[in-house]
Amino acid sequence: TFAAPQASGTQHAGIWVGGAGRVAVTPDLALLTLGVEARADTVEQARSNAATAMAAVMAVLTENGIQEEDIRTQYFNIQPEYVWNESINRQEIKGYRVTNTVSVKVRDLESVGTLIDNVANAGGDLVRISNISFTIENPEQYAAQAREAAVQDAMAKAQQFAQLTGVTLDRLVYIAETSASMPVTRGYDTAVMTFAEAAPAPATPVSGGEIDITIRVQAVFSIA
């Protein structure tokens, strides 16, 4: 639904139409969320284990051509883990867990599968990969194409309405972009993926697919 500008006494006069434009684009950027998770009896041991594993992961990212500005710490947490003690009827701390997660931009999509494997090998049992998605780094040019198609679609509909109803299409009195959709495609979307638990296997296959960029407009034309 949408609201067009109100002309005096002719709020619903004219032809009201909606238009949609869609452009299918091959993604050029992969977004990885990965990190390490370590558990130990003490905070220091858990932190040390996580730091060692994360240093190995970061070294792999650098070796695979990931620039420093494309790596961002997303989450760091140290928290106790509890167990219920039946004899005293209360919780007790049994150890500590340290989680360190980063988001990584990968511009060479063909290297994503190999990068995942290398990260898994470097971090061992502590590696966690929680999400892989694909997107467009600069979607503006594709959005402009979709917007042009949406306007043409709206105008074509208005022309058809005019022909079907025997009226003459006059000037455009209102147009607005009502929605823009530029979703990412997801290769994996799981709470936690632990690669070290899997048996040795061929390189991890990853495909970016296509992304649909959709623009919708609403337009109002007067009639003669």
Side-chain angles (χ1 to χ4, degrees):
T1 61
F2 68 103
Q6 297 183 10
S8 177
T10 59
Q11 179 179 351
H12 295 92
I15 295 177
W16 296 35
V17 291
R22 182 179 69 87
V23 176
V25 184
T26 301
D28 59 12
L29 186 68
L31 306 175
L32 277 64
T33 303
L34 55 86
V36 298
E37 184 178 78
R39 290 178 170 84
D41 293 336
T42 65
V43 170
E44 177 54 31
Q45 188 60 56
R47 187 209 61 79
S48 178
N49 292 346
T52 300
M54 196 62 182
V57 168
M58 295 292 283
V60 164
L61 295 178
T62 301
E63 291 167 4
N64 282 265
I66 306 300
Q67 301 299 310
E68 183 178 351
E69 60 267 24
D70 289 334
I71 304 173
R72 179 175 60 86
T73 297
Q74 189 175 65
Y75 179 77
F76 184 87
N77 179 261
I78 299 176
Q79 66 180 40
E81 295 193 311
Y82 296 91
V83 63
W84 184 260
N85 189 323
E86 294 286 353
S87 62
I88 59 176
N89 199 34
R90 70 179 184 187
Q91 286 186 328
E92 289 185 332
I93 294 176
K94 70 170 184 176
Y96 296 87
R97 179 175 62 188
V98 175
T99 304
N100 189 356
T101 303
V102 296
S103 60
V104 181
K105 293 181 180 180
V106 184
R107 302 177 189 281
D108 179 8
L109 298 194
E110 294 184 359
S111 71
V112 173
T114 299
L115 180 63
I116 290 171
D117 294 338
N118 292 342
V119 165
N121 291 333
D125 292 342
L126 304 187
V127 168
R128 303 291 184 268
I129 296 183
S130 56
N131 186 56
I132 305 174
S133 59
F134 298 87
T135 188
I136 300 296
E137 186 167 25
N138 297 304
E140 291 81 8
Q141 60 175 319
Y142 305 107
Q145 295 174 20
R147 188 174 296 110
E148 180 179 350
V151 171
Q152 292 175 351
D153 183 42
M155 294 181 68
K157 288 179 180 176
Q159 290 283 1
Q160 183 182 28
F161 272 121
Q163 293 171 3
L164 290 173
T165 56
V167 298
T168 300
L169 193 67
D170 203 358
R171 65 186 183 90
L172 174 71
V173 297
Y174 174 84
I175 189 166
E177 185 172 305
T178 58
S179 67
S181 175
M182 290 176 244
V184 295
T185 60
R186 301 185 182 278
Y188 301 92
D189 189 5
T190 59
V192 175
M193 296 177 64
T194 57
F195 288 87
E197 296 173 359
T204 301
V206 176
S207 176
E210 283 190 341
I211 295 173
D212 285 342
I213 296 179
T214 303
I215 300 289
R216 288 183 170 82
V217 300
Q218 298 286 0
V220 178
F221 295 84
S222 62
I223 53 178

